[in-house]
């Protein structure tokens, strides 16, 4: 009954609103979950309120959780920002699966203002002229903003979002490093005496998967992290600001020589292991057409384990949410760790000043940041005595009306809000410590500019895309495919791309 009354109240509120806000352009039915719908969404521009001159900033972000009561959250934020700052926000949440296509469309038109940069390289948007140069805004930012972001990111982090001396995005408050872990069903992990947080080598992964496969033949011993991606966090190589890895260095060694990924010891070793997993039946045969997440398959008793990546730094991080996690790599960071998820302003924004001001607010205003991260208290979360937040009784991220607590790492500065009870009251303090301790690549802050080799780079990316996932998943024989892939890469211009990347990297190193 409580949930039905909430839905009714939200519907009545939306129906009686006197101000209409624009939806994002280009979204088909089911693509965009926003607070404004129907005729109201079609009646305004997206950057200016329908009546008066109060700017409305369109905030666009990917999402995978319940947002059926997004309007309630939007209204709560606007109740604060309208009075305090003379601004309003329009929350536009886009399904994760549609984000790459939708974000490119959003940055082509002028309806989007603040957009998360995710799924498409920052440099691609910069070269296409789709992101606003933020140098002047950042230099003249408010003291409140400067104080807030000093606890979120460093000037070194900001270099990862700087191209040719110009800043194009802001670093959000999340893990600024990655640890790749093997995520294991907790009951099976306990059965095999897997100790949470204890490092596991690939040889030890081999042994565990063999035992798990024998004991649980009705489950896949290991599955992709998501879709056809074995590991979102890569492994131990750094593409030097290039997410397609056309020329890499190792993060853990001191060698600054740019190498072909497919000829590195690390890649060859990994693919030899994954090939055994696939050949022994540990991995699903149709992994190259998978559309699910590994975590979901573990929860549904269809898989034993998968890779995952993120910030793990406390004992509770390695055993919670029904899984046990064991690290496979040390915590690491490169340029794309930061540039792969950040906040920029659309260069076509109708009101970039308002967009920047709203971005500042999301970093320093506790009330606004808490509403965005947690939702409305009593409706989407309850506050516990220890200062953590939980979903209301009987509800979770699938049916609470607003599941923002499950994706706080997406928002500019969720540390102003309340951490989930599952994460503990020290979550954001521990996160800050983790970010300070993570090992940074020698190329941290360097971003390869493909301008001089654009045709060769594009051709190499096509070859890489043809083979990379299949090799990482073990679906093809690396002994046969790696030489073939390398030959095709060289024919596409790999050596020219690597030489250009080496020249730029050497010049950058000399300036450090």
């Amino acid at each position: 009954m409580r949930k039905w009354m909430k839905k009714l109240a939200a519907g009545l509120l939306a129906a009686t609103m006197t101000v209409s806000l624009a939806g994002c352009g280009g979204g088909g039915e089911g693509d965009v979950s926003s607070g404004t719908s129907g005729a109201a969404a079609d009646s305004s521009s997206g950057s200016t309120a329908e009546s008066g001159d109060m700017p409305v900033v369109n905030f666009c972000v990917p999402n995978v959780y319940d947002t059926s009561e997004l309007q309630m959250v939007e209204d709560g934020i606007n109740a604060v920002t309208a009075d305090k700052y003379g601004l309003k926000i329009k929350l536009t949440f886009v399904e994760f699966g549609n984000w790459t296509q939708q974000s490119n469309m959003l940055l082509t038109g002028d309806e989007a203002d603040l957009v998360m940069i995710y799924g498409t390289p920052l440099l691609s948007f910069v070269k296409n002229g789709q992101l606003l140069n933020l140098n002047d805004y950042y230099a003249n930012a408010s003291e409140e903003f400067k104080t807030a972001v000093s606890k979120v990111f460093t000037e070194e982090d900001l270099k990862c979002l700087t191209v040719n001396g110009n800043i194009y995005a802001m670093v959000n408050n999340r893990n600024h490093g990655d640890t790749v872990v093997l995520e294991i069903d907790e009951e099976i992990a306990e059965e095999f005496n897997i100790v949470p947080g204890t490092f596991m080598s690939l040889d030890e992964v081999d042994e565990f998967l063999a035992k798990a496969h024998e004991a649980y033949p009705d489950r896949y011993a290991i599955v992709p992290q998501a879709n056809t991606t074995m590991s979102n966090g890569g492994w131990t190589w750094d593409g030097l600001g290039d997410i397609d890895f056309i020329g890499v260095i190792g993060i853990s060694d001191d060698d600054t020589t740019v190498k072909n990924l497919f000829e590195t010891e690390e890649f060859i070793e990994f693919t030899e292991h994954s090939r055994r997993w696939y050949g022994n039946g540990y991995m699903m045969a149709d992994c190259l057409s998978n559309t699910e997440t590994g975590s979901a398959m573990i929860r549904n008793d269809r898989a034993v384990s998968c890779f995952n990546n993120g910030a793990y730094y406390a004992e509770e991080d390695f055993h919670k949410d029904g899984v046990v996690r064991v690290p496979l790599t040390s915590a690491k960071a490169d340029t794309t760790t930061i540039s792969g998820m950040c906040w920029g302003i659309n260069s076509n924004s109708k009101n970039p000043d308002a967009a920047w001001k709203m971005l500042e607010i999301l970093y320093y205003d506790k009330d606004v940041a808490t509403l965005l991260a947690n939702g409305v208290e009593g409706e989407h979360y309850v506050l516990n005595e220890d200062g953590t937040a939980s979903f209301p009784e009987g509800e979770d991220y699938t049916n609470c009306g607003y599941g923002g607590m499950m994706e706080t790492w997406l928002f500019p500065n969720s540390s102003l809000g309340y951490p989930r009870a599952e994460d503990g009251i020290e979550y954001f303090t521990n996160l800050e410590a983790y970010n300070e301790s993570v090992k940074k690549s020698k190329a941290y802050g360097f971003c390869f500019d493909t301008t001089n080799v654009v045709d060769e780079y594009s051709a190499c990316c096509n070859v890489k895309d043809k083979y990379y996932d299949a090799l990482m998943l073990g679906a093809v024989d690396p002994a046969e495919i790696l030489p073939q892939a390398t030959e095709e890469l060289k024919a596409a211009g790999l050596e020219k791309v690597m030489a250009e990347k080496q020249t730029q990297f050497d010049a950058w190193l000399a300036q450090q």
Side-chain angles (χ1 to χ4, degrees):
M1 177 63 72
R2 172 182 174 274
K3 179 55 66 177
W4 181 86
M5 290 299 292
K6 283 176 64 181
K7 302 293 185 187
L8 177 61
L12 290 172
L13 181 61
T16 58
M17 284 183 65
T18 59
V19 177
S20 298
L21 312 179
C24 280
E29 183 177 354
D31 287 347
V32 177
S33 300
S34 65
T36 306
S37 60
D42 298 326
S43 63
S44 63
S45 68
S47 296
T48 305
E50 196 172 73
S51 59
D53 296 322
M54 186 177 293
V56 178
V57 175
N58 197 350
F59 174 94
C60 304
V61 63
N63 170 66
V64 72
Y65 302 109
D66 180 19
T67 55
S68 56
E69 294 177 2
L70 190 61
Q71 185 67 60
M72 190 184 300
V73 177
E74 182 180 301
D75 292 342
I77 293 175
N78 286 334
V80 176
T81 60
D83 288 341
K84 289 177 67 174
Y85 308 108
L87 290 174
K88 289 190 176 184
I89 199 168
K90 168 73 178 73
L91 299 179
T92 300
F93 281 43
V94 178
E95 291 295 332
F96 250 107
N98 300 322
W99 178 253
T100 299
Q101 177 184 14
Q102 289 292 317
S103 60
N104 276 278
M105 295 176 69
L106 290 166
L107 287 169
T108 299
D110 61 7
E111 293 185 354
D113 298 304
L114 291 176
V115 179
M116 164 153 280
I117 309 307
Y118 174 79
T120 299
L122 173 76
L123 186 61
S124 295
F125 286 135
V126 172
K127 293 179 70 174
N128 292 336
Q130 294 171 291
L131 291 178
L132 196 67
N133 181 334
L134 302 180
N135 281 9
D136 290 342
Y137 286 115
Y138 184 71
N140 297 297
S142 67
E143 290 303 317
E144 295 93 335
F145 174 79
K146 292 177 181 177
T147 299
V149 299
S150 68
K151 299 181 180 180
V152 175
F153 60 83
T154 65
E155 293 298 314
E156 185 181 18
D157 296 331
L158 197 60
K159 289 180 181 179
C160 297
L161 306 180
T162 302
V163 179
N164 295 326
N166 298 317
I167 303 168
Y168 286 97
M170 289 290 111
V171 185
N172 56 324
N173 197 349
R174 58 178 175 87
N175 56 299
H176 296 162
D178 273 318
T179 302
V180 181
V181 301
L182 186 68
E183 204 166 78
I184 308 168
D185 179 285
E186 64 179 352
E187 293 183 0
I188 297 175
E190 291 169 1
E191 178 182 343
F192 289 102
N193 299 314
I194 303 296
V195 179
T198 301
F199 184 87
M200 186 179 282
S201 68
L202 286 177
D203 287 337
E204 290 170 325
V205 173
D206 287 348
E207 296 173 6
F208 167 70
L209 294 180
K211 295 175 182 177
H213 177 66
E214 182 178 359
Y216 296 91
D218 58 332
R219 297 191 193 185
Y220 301 115
I222 190 167
V223 292
Q225 180 171 344
N227 301 323
T228 61
T229 301
M230 187 65 180
S231 172
N232 287 341
W235 194 240
T236 58
W237 42 81
D238 176 1
L240 297 98
D242 165 21
I243 63 173
D244 278 296
F245 306 127
I246 311 302
V248 302
I249 63 170
I251 288 181
S252 58
D253 57 42
D254 293 325
D255 190 357
T256 59
T257 303
V258 177
K259 302 179 180 68
N260 170 24
L261 173 64
F262 290 171
E263 294 180 296
T264 61
E265 292 182 9
E266 293 88 349
F267 191 82
I268 293 171
E269 180 191 22
F270 186 94
T271 57
E272 288 174 345
H273 282 275
S274 64
R275 181 58 178 172
R276 286 196 290 271
W277 304 341
Y278 185 90
N280 291 333
Y282 308 160
M283 171 69 72
M284 59 179 67
D286 60 347
C287 54
L288 287 172
S289 60
N290 178 54
T291 59
E292 301 180 73
T293 66
S295 296
M297 282 187 272
I298 292 174
R299 289 196 305 269
N300 295 330
D301 296 333
R302 296 176 54 215
V304 173
S305 70
C306 70
F307 282 14
N308 209 335
N309 63 291
Y312 310 102
Y313 39 71
E315 183 178 348
E316 57 266 25
D317 292 313
F318 292 103
H319 189 182
K320 68 178 180 181
D321 298 329
V323 297
V324 162
R325 299 181 177 97
V326 291
L328 304 176
T329 68
S330 57
K332 55 186 173 49
D334 58 29
T335 296
T336 57
T337 307
I338 302 297
S339 66
M341 184 181 291
C342 49
W343 280 98
I345 296 178
N346 184 4
S347 61
N348 296 314
S349 171
K350 296 176 183 176
N351 197 333
D353 291 350
W356 172 261
K357 183 59 180 178
M358 183 61 75
L359 187 58
E360 282 198 3
I361 292 165
L362 292 170
Y363 276 97
Y364 71 72
D365 190 294
K366 179 177 176 60
D367 293 333
V368 174
T370 300
L371 281 160
L372 183 62
N374 299 96
V376 177
E377 185 177 359
E379 298 293 337
H380 309 124
Y381 74 96
V382 292
L383 194 58
N384 303 313
E385 291 184 359
D386 65 352
T388 62
S390 300
F391 291 112
E393 185 176 356
E395 298 177 8
D396 60 22
Y397 57 84
T398 67
N399 62 3
C400 68
Y402 184 73
M405 283 200 298
M406 296 297 293
E407 55 183 14
T408 54
W409 36 272
L410 286 172
F411 306 131
N413 189 11
S414 297
S415 69
L416 298 180
Y418 305 109
R420 289 194 309 147
E422 293 84 352
D423 293 326
I425 190 60
E426 298 295 326
Y427 174 76
F428 291 113
T429 300
N430 291 337
L431 178 61
E432 185 176 354
Y434 175 91
N435 288 341
E436 291 174 353
S437 66
V438 69
K439 178 179 176 59
K440 294 180 174 64
S441 165
K442 297 172 292 298
Y444 191 76
F446 171 77
C447 186
F448 175 51
D449 184 350
T450 62
T451 300
N452 294 334
V453 288
V454 63
D455 292 335
E456 293 85 356
Y457 177 78
S458 178
C460 287
C461 287
N462 289 335
V463 175
K464 177 261 182 181
D465 291 343
K466 179 180 175 182
Y467 295 112
Y468 182 80
D469 282 351
L471 285 162
M472 288 289 287
L473 291 166
V476 295
D477 183 0
E480 174 187 350
I481 297 300
L482 283 174
Q484 177 181 327
T486 292
E487 184 178 346
E488 291 184 28
L489 281 168
K490 289 181 177 179
L494 173 65
E495 292 174 339
K496 184 176 180 180
V497 174
M498 288 174 53
E500 176 67 18
K501 183 175 281 190
Q502 186 75 66
T503 298
Q504 291 184 26
F505 184 40
D506 289 345
W508 181 85
L509 284 172
Q511 296 175 350
Q512 303 311 301

